[in-house]
């Protein structure tokens, strides 16, 4: 028996224990131990087998395996079936043969499953690329300006009125089942009702229609940017719907335009001291119903406020007076000054935060009804500021 095992597994050495001579031969169990290495697909694993054999028919009664942890992991996968086979094994040799066979079959099976899974993925990816390429064909390759290595991020452009607009489409491998993600630079969020039959051409067509629908909006914004003194945003983008426009050294307006109805009367906030904004507010309140949505925002503003809006290029030197009188800069946390000294001869602008800090630390600061009162750092006249929550 032992030499048979050596033929099958040459690195496994049998170590036979002595049998107990006091017990009658029929009841005797023989303990056999094998130590050595078992080869699974050219890989050797340490193994120690202890088996108790029933002497009369040489059947295995019980078996204990100590082995390399890696081999143990392989055995765990086949444990149930190995136990079933053990009952049918005629000899230790049979058992070791089964063990080796089962592990190798199992390894081969999982390897096959893995490669067939890879095959499916590969076939899926062929479908994916075919689909993406045919989608680009339909939109037109000339409109594709950027694409990544995996064709999962596509950037298409569209030109409107000499302005170039881009849409970035981000695909997942589950495309077209799952909706792609879109990135655009439009004043409103781009959204597309995606279903499994949707195409990227439909997305691109909707993008073009959206861009065209904002044409007047961008024209209006461009006219303001080119003809007014824009205080905020410093570098307007295609998505920005608001502008802070300087009217004179002490007053500016913040306008918010509806991109869908750009020529309608916008939301207007006057920024400056009560006294310096008063004339403009009065003019606006008495004339706002004369707003004419057939003409430009720029023209309407000039008419209603009875002013030629100053242009930055014409009045570069006059820039004094727009920055904060405390920190000497215009923008703080991306915002221009919003408080002004109410004393008409002073009218200094301040950031709310700067004035708050200034008053908090001044000796004559008084607090009433949620306001801090103190003196203007410039003219020493009374000035107030809303109490801000600690930041
Ligand atoms: Zn400041
Ligand atoms: Zn002042």
């Amino acid at each position: 028996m032992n030499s048979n095992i050596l033929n099958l597994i040459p690195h496994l050495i049998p170590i036979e224990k002595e049998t107990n001579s006091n017990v009658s031969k029929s009841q005797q169990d023989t303990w056999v131990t094998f130590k050595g290495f078992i080869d699974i697909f050219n890989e050797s694993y340490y193994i120690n087998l202890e088996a108790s054999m029933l002497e009369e028919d040489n059947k295995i009664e019980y078996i204990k395996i100590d082995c390399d942890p890696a081999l143990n992991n392989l055995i765990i996968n086949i444990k149930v079936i190995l136990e079933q086979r053990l009952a049918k094994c005629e000899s230790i040799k049979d058992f070791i043969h089964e063990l080796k066979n089962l592990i190798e079959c199992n390894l081969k099976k999982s390897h096959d499953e893995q490669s067939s899974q890879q095959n499916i993925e590969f076939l899926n990816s062929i479908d994916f690329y075919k689909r993406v390429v045919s989608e680009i064909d339909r939109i037109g390759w000339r409109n594709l300006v950027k694409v990544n290595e995996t064709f999962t991020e596509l950037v298409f452009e569209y030109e409107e009125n000499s302005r170039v607009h881009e849409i970035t489409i981000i695909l997942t491998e589950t495309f077209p089942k799952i909706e792609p993600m879109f990135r655009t630079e439009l004043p409103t969020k781009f959204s597309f009702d995606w279903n499994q039959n949707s195409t990227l051409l439909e997305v691109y067509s909707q993008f073009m229609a959206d861009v065209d629908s904002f044409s007047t909006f961008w024209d209006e914004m461009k006219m303001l940017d080119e003809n007014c003194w824009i205080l905020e945003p410093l570098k307007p983008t295609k998505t920005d719907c608001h502008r802070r426009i300087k009217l004179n050294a002490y007053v500016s307006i913040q306008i918010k335009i509806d991109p869908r109805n750009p020529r309608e009367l916008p939301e207007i906030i006057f920024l400056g001291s009560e006294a310096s904004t008063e004339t403009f507010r009065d003019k606006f309140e008495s004339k706002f119903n004369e707003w004419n949505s057939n003409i430009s925002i720029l023209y309407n503003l000039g008419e209603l406020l009875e002013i030629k809006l100053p242009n930055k290029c014409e009045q570069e030197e006059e820039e004094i007076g727009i920055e904060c009188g405390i920190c000497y800069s215009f923008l703080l946390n991306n915002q221009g000054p919003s408080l002004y000294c109410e004393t008409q001869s002073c009218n200094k602008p301040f950031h709310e935060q700067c004035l708050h800090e200034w008053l908090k630390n001044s000796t004559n600061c008084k607090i009433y009804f949620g306001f801090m009162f103190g003196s203007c750092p410039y003219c020493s006249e009374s000035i107030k500021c809303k109490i801000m929550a600690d930041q």
Side-chain angles (χ1 to χ4, degrees), residues 104-197:
E104 288 186 343
C105 284
N106 193 51
L107 277 176
K108 194 169 175 303
K109 202 176 107 206
S110 62
H111 177 262
D112 288 350
E113 275 168 7
Q114 224 176 340
S115 56
S116 81
Q117 183 60 33
Q118 279 165 353
N119 260 338
I120 290 169
E121 276 165 25
F122 179 66
L123 287 173
N124 277 346
S125 71
I126 286 185
D127 280 349
F128 171 83
Y129 290 119
K130 267 184 170 168
R131 168 80 192 243
V132 174
V133 166
S134 86
E135 292 270 15
I136 301 172
D137 275 341
R138 286 202 265 176
I139 295 174
W141 288 82
R142 68 183 183 286
N143 298 316
L144 181 73
V145 286
K146 235 184 281 168
V147 61
N148 66 348
E149 275 177 9
T150 52
F151 274 67
T152 48
E153 197 170 319
L154 314 167
V155 184
F156 293 98
E157 67 173 23
Y158 172 60
E159 197 180 317
E160 160 271 341
N161 227 352
S162 310
R163 285 178 285 251
V164 177
H165 304 269
E166 287 185 350
I167 179 167
T168 304
I169 301 175
I170 297 155
L171 308 171
T172 58
E173 296 96 68
T174 48
F175 171 77
K177 277 189 202 138
I178 307 276
E179 176 177 10
M181 273 175 18
F182 310 112
R183 268 203 312 260
T184 59
E185 247 198 290
L186 299 176
T188 60
K189 193 180 180 306
F190 178 80
S191 67
F192 182 88
D193 263 335
W194 184 267
N195 64 55
Q196 291 214 22
N197 302 318

Side-chain angles (χ1 to χ4, degrees), residues 341 346 376 379:
C341 174
C346 176
C376 167
C379 64

Side-chain angles (χ1 to χ4, degrees), residues 323-332 337 349-355:
E323 66 273 288
C324 169
I326 294 169
C327 71
Y328 299 116
S329 46
F330 177 67
L331 289 182
L332 176 71
F350 302 104
H351 293 120
E352 202 178 353
Q353 246 173 297
C354 295
L355 189 61

